[in-house]
DNA sequence: CCTTGGCACTCAACGATACCGAGTGCCAGC
DNA sequence: GCTGGCACTCGGTATCGTTGAGTGCCAAGG
């Protein structure tokens, strides 16, 4: 597609522009040692690259700026995993050594951490596309008319619902309902309606029905769709200088549904980076997104990602997202105890 | 302190400035019908108001801008509750009619709603200053080495922790531990360490100890300090035009601890509004905060508030925050079932 | 004594103008 | 095909009036 020299020039321009945020002129490119050509030659090549859509010129007599296509070429040419500098690796190690606690807090912390690490906004999605299966379920009476149904899910999460009863079941009836429920729900995905055959005790059936309904339609997390944690949105205020752009980007970051759709879209297309207008969202035309799914015990459990300007530092971003998603998965696979 | 005319002039200037965001000149003030004086008189009074610290001048030959002290006078002069316009009342009614679900989701939704209602950033804090008391507690065995301790709190919230055991207690032992724990913890505030006397079965004691520890130091919400929900932070990008200000304010909004401290501070001082530098936070020097606590069943359970520029629309803000906090409290008092 | 019209003064905002220089495109020569 | 040279472009910055909103002060009038 591009001969070696064009590729080298394009790469140099992208790198320079990412660093300086200024249009890159031919002289700067000609100065880099790998290329021993004059600026005039570079100018010719730059003209060609512009005609092919890799570069753009803000106006005549300005340097060149990479287009989305230019960034795309650059990103695709990053083949080796990309090194994190030791300081960052150290930070990551430290974070995951000390991080602990409840899943949701962990995800929120991770989003903040990743944002600090990369200096872009970070997003962590916990998706529930594949609903966790119920590993164990139990009804517990707590007071004459109050009971709890507690389900432990395959993901290690605990789904619990308090039940208010019209009846006052005996302990035996609660126990019967509990085991009847367990017999029919264990192994099933949570949040899906499961028909449960009646027993010979209508009171037990009512109790089972209430518990089953709570697990199905209950307001516990699992069936409320994916959860989104955004960290470091404030950094977008530094990444752009047009207030309107900042506003638009922040708006998107608050629309969790949009974020989730966007990220799923990117993953569905088999990408790990979406640049500028590659994703459809017009307000994010100046943004790139780097994502990586994380896995808990081999199952995709969510995604981590960062959102930055198209002129983001892609190697670092890719490396950081990759490492953090891996480590997050590991950390969550260990600490499956606490839901 | 201020004679009637000065007060009227000050009020007019504040209102005008809130609307236009432009320094207010003497002629504009002289035009208002209540005051039938010439602009020259207004100028004299404005000079006096400036000397007394209520007004400031960006530069000679510009109009006047209210100082924090000026806003404070204005806010303190708002005595009657302040009317919400019918559209907003309608919105509020509708929101609380349809809002439902889990406490945390409800609070998050409320923060988003309040932000939309006022067009400022909104904050909802769920504080746990007065830890809820345990109404009922129970240990449930789920698997040979896995048990759950479930505590229902006075607030209606459910605190549950999964326990991983070294032993394999019998059902009777679990039941014994459960009732022993219940006997000593019921009525106590959660999250505080309670000594529990030993029984004659060391295995039961170990189980009780683990459960007790989980409830005390466990990672469940109640002892993790207050939770903060921020909605509509993006709106701060419209409220200010200096990018650095936006950045600073967004930063604060992400520091939950700072927010909570700030809000508690304001409430502790018996205020419902903090203007500009009245709160200590330098980055928020251009912001005002309007807060109101909400109550669940008569107990203070948290705070709702909004954060906007010092030139915010105070009457509306005060009214909106007051009404939303009240309605939120009512809504949560009804739906105490689901934790 | 307070109010008011008048007047000189101030100063940010705006527009016009000129200038600078980084960067380009093109061309002729090596 | 590469390179040095050169004319050209045009955004950015600085300079300089000009404008006008707004003030402070004063002297006259109720």
């Amino acid at each position: 597609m591009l001969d070696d020299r064009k590729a080298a020039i394009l790469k140099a321009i992208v790198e320079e522009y990412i660093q300086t945020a200024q249009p890159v002129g031919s002289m700067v490119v000609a100065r880099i040692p790998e290329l021993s050509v004059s600026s005039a030659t570079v100018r010719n090549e730059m003209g060609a690259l512009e005609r092919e859509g890799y570069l753009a010129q803000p106006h005549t007599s300005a340097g060149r700026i990479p287009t989305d296509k230019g960034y795309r070429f650059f990103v695709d040419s990053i083949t080796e995993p990309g090194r994190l500098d030791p300081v960052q690796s150290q930070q990551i190690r430290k974070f995951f050594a000390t991080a602990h606690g409840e899943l949701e807090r962990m995800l929120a912390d991770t989003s903040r951490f990743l944002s600090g690490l990369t200096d872009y906004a970070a997003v962590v999605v916990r998706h529930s596309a594949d609903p966790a299966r119920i590993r164990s379920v139990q009804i517990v009476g707590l007071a004459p008319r109050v009971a709890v149904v507690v389900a432990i899910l395959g993901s290690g999460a605990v789904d619990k619902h308090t039940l208010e009863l019209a009846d006052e079941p005996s302990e035996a009836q609660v126990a019967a309902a509990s085991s009847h429920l367990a017999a029919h729900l264990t192994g099933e995905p949570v949040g899906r309606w499961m028909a449960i055959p009646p027993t010979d005790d209508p009171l037990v059936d009512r109790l089972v029905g209430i518990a089953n309904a709570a697990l199905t339609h209950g307001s516990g997390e699992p069936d409320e769709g994916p959860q989104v944690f955004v960290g470091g949105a404030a950094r977008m205020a530094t990444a752009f200088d047009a207030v309107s752009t900042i506003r638009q980007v922040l708006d998107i970051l608050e629309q969790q549904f949009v974020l989730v759709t966007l990220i799923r879209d990117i993953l569905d297309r088999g990408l790990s980076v979406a640049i500028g207008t590659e994703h459809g969202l017009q307000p994010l035309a100046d943004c790139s997104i780097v994502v990586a799914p994380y896995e808990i015990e081999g199952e995709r459990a969510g995604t981590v990602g960062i959102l930055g300007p198209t002129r983001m530092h892609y190697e670092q971003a890719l490396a950081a997202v990759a490492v953090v998603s891996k480590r997050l998965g590991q950390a969550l696979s260990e600490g499956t105890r606490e839901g």
Side-chain angles (χ1 to χ4, degrees), chain A:
Chain A
M1 192 81 181
L2 290 183
D3 63 59
D4 284 359
R5 195 171 63 185
K6 279 204 183 63
I9 290 177
L10 179 52
K11 187 172 168 225
I13 291 175
V14 172
E15 283 175 345
E16 182 72 14
Y17 184 69
I18 286 175
Q19 273 207 355
T20 64
Q22 299 295 327
V24 183
S26 56
M27 291 196 37
V28 186
V29 178
R31 256 201 296 281
I32 72 166
E34 285 80 9
L35 238 70
S36 37
V37 287
S38 72
S39 64
T41 310
V42 174
R43 276 201 290 283
N44 287 332
E45 298 288 50
M46 280 163 68
L49 284 168
E50 180 168 1
R51 251 166 279 128
E52 295 173 53
Y54 293 99
L55 294 177
Q57 223 174 349
H59 54 86
T60 341
S61 92
R64 298 309 208 290
I65 283 182
T67 60
D68 291 351
K69 186 175 174 187
Y71 286 120
R72 169 53 62 193
F73 180 88
F74 177 77
V75 169
D76 287 345
S77 75
I78 300 175
T79 49
E80 82 277 11
R83 290 247 141 269
L84 278 176
D85 70 78
V87 182
Q88 291 184 311
S89 307
Q90 179 56 29
Q91 281 179 280
I92 295 177
R93 238 189 313 279
K94 192 173 156 198
F95 173 75
F96 284 105
T98 54
H100 63 284
E102 193 199 10
L103 176 60
E104 301 188 14
R105 189 160 295 257
M106 179 87 182
L107 297 181
D109 286 349
T110 301
S111 77
R112 273 188 285 269
F113 168 71
L114 182 56
S115 173
L117 191 71
T118 57
D119 218 41
Y120 301 119
V123 180
V124 175
V125 180
R126 167 195 189 184
H127 55 69
S128 53
D130 187 20
R133 286 172 188 279
I134 293 173
R135 189 193 278 167
S136 141
V137 62
Q138 192 140 356
I139 301 175
V140 182
L142 291 171
R145 287 204 155 90
V146 183
V148 207
V149 52
V150 181
I152 301 205
L153 309 180
S155 66
V158 174
D159 191 18
K160 52 107 187 63
H161 299 274
T162 312
L163 313 175
E164 298 214 335
L165 312 175
D167 315 305
E168 298 198 7
S170 68
E171 286 203 17
Q173 284 171 316
V174 171
S178 186
S179 59
H180 191 64
L181 193 71
H184 289 88
L185 288 189
T186 304
E188 300 296 337
V190 73
R192 192 177 306 165
W193 171 257
M194 296 298 303
I196 296 179
T199 60
D200 46 4
D201 180 341
L203 202 159
V204 167
D205 287 344
R206 277 205 293 282
L207 186 46
V208 167
I210 291 174
N212 191 17
L215 286 174
T216 309
H217 305 291
S219 48
E221 315 127 8
D223 59 307
E224 289 211 341
Q227 284 180 293
V228 180
F229 304 86
V230 176
R235 285 178 223 273
M236 301 317 275
T238 328
F240 301 100
D241 32 36
V243 178
S244 67
T245 310
I246 298 175
R247 170 70 205 252
Q248 288 177 329
V249 175
L250 290 179
D251 264 335
I252 295 281
L253 282 176
E254 287 184 6
Q255 295 174 33
Q256 311 202 331
F257 179 75
V258 175
L259 271 186
V260 171
T261 312
L262 169 61
I263 289 178
R264 200 185 16 234
D265 228 62
I266 297 171
L267 289 176
D268 283 354
R269 283 193 278 164
L271 297 174
S272 59
V273 184
I275 298 164
T277 53
E278 289 180 356
H279 48 71
L281 288 180
Q282 204 278 328
L284 294 189
D286 296 331
C287 295
S288 283
I289 306 178
V290 179
V291 293
Y294 64 86
E295 300 183 348
I296 299 181
E297 294 177 346
E299 294 273 326
R300 282 206 179 179
T303 312
V304 311
I306 64 186
L307 179 71
T310 44
R311 36 170 282 276
M312 76 160 66
H313 206 310
Y314 289 99
E315 296 102 322
Q316 273 197 27
L318 280 161
V321 168
V323 174
V324 168
S325 73
K326 204 180 97 199
R327 298 300 229 88
L328 177 63
Q330 289 171 354
L332 294 179
S333 299
E334 291 167 16
T336 328
R337 294 177 279 292
E338 191 57 47

